[in-house]
Amino acid sequence: MPANSAPTTATVALPVPRDGIVGAAPYGAPQLPVEHALNVNENPYGPSPELAEHIGRAAAEAARGLNRYPDREALALRGELGEYLAAESGIPAPAPEAVWAANGSNEVMHQLLLAYGGPGRTALGFTPHYSMYPEYARDTYTGWVTVERGPAPEFALTPQAVREAIAVHQPSIVVLTSPNNPTGTALTLDVVEAAAAALAPARGLLVVDEAYGEFRRDGVASALTVLEDHPNLVVTRTMSKAFALAGARLGYFVADPAIVDAVRVVRLPYHLSAVTQAVARAALAHREELLGKVALLRTERDALAEHLIARGHSVAPSDANFLLMRTFADRDDVFEALLRRGVLVRAVGPAGWLRVSVGTPENNAAFRTALEEADPR
Ligand SMILES: *Cc1c(COP(=O)(O)O)cnc(C)c1O
């Protein structure tokens, strides 16, 4: 400011965010204090006191070295994640260099779009889809286009539909979600392989988001089993859902090491804290306990689906830890009526449908009871 300019009392206008950010709302599934939180597909079973203590010890040990930056490459954790996946999906253990880890699969997806999307490039998804995909695209200046999945209640995708969508939109990236959120639908491998093959000539990337992979029903294969045949395939997983570790923020993917290398270029330096790495490794060492309730949740899911169908609801067949159901009354009224009875669900998916996470037997019983009054048949 020149020395002779008058001091101003005028209000200084605030800077304006760029296009796409002005007026946009941040991601916001409500975080309400309710008795039965069945809205964000968390695992309702927390760690045992012993495991919580072990995780605490691992964090304390990491704390002693917090004056130093963490291991940038997190290769020990990445190797252990690969070993876990080998056991889970019956694939040979991927090398640590073929695994990538970040703060939730949200960050993993964001990094993939940073590296493979961008101005002039397009990513393709299939509706109804996870609410965050368009936001990763917006934030990375990537175009976002969608094609509808098949009719309710199956919300299926076929190899033909995927091939056609790729031919029309010529995307750089295709995101397939299996099991899908919010529908719960798992994809058969022919759909995954058709997408990978259709993208290959233009060297497009196929991301299969398997956030709910561990909940899939018997006989449903993971896309991990065809990874070796498709160098353009990325399979993402998370410790947030089946692993009961949403609060720790650890997501990961497996792919050709060249894809990992591209992501390493765009990741922020030291993105994965030493505490996060230590906590994730401690949790992985106790995977039997953490994953111990997956079988129970699958059984509860199938029982709840049967109950809802017997009540006359349309229910999407689910390979995940939630159900998408059609309500009789207006879904927003049902949502509010459930909330008044202490049950928080999610109003997502097509109009007229609600998504409910599978909780403990007690949560699920409370949901059933509340639904009798909230949505009488
Ligand atoms: C919950 C969810 C995720 C991610 O969760 P993180 O907690 O970030 O790992 C990713 N994809 C889908 C489809 C989800 O539902």
Side-chain angles (χ1 to χ4, degrees), residues 104-106 130 133 177 181 209 211-212 238 240-241 249-251:
S105 48
N106 266 285
Y130 180 46
Y133 296 151
T177 316
N181 179 5
D209 181 348
Y212 301 95
T238 179
S240 292
K241 310 286 165 59
R249 311 305 301 131
L250 201 290

Side-chain angles (χ1 to χ4, degrees), residues 72-75 78-79 81-82 85 94-102 108 111-112 114-116 205 207 227 231-236 251-268 271:
R72 239 181 347 238
E73 301 303 338
L75 279 167
R78 287 159 62 193
L81 288 166
L85 283 183
E97 291 76 14
V99 182
W100 181 247
V108 155
Q111 291 171 334
L112 285 164
L114 273 175
Y116 287 91
L205 186 78
V207 182
L227 204 51
N232 60 343
L233 173 60
V234 179
V235 181
T236 69
Y252 55 108
F253 72 71
V254 189
D256 190 285
I259 294 174
V260 174
D261 283 345
V263 166
R264 288 172 60 227
V265 175
V266 299
R267 65 100 190 276
L268 296 174
H271 70 293

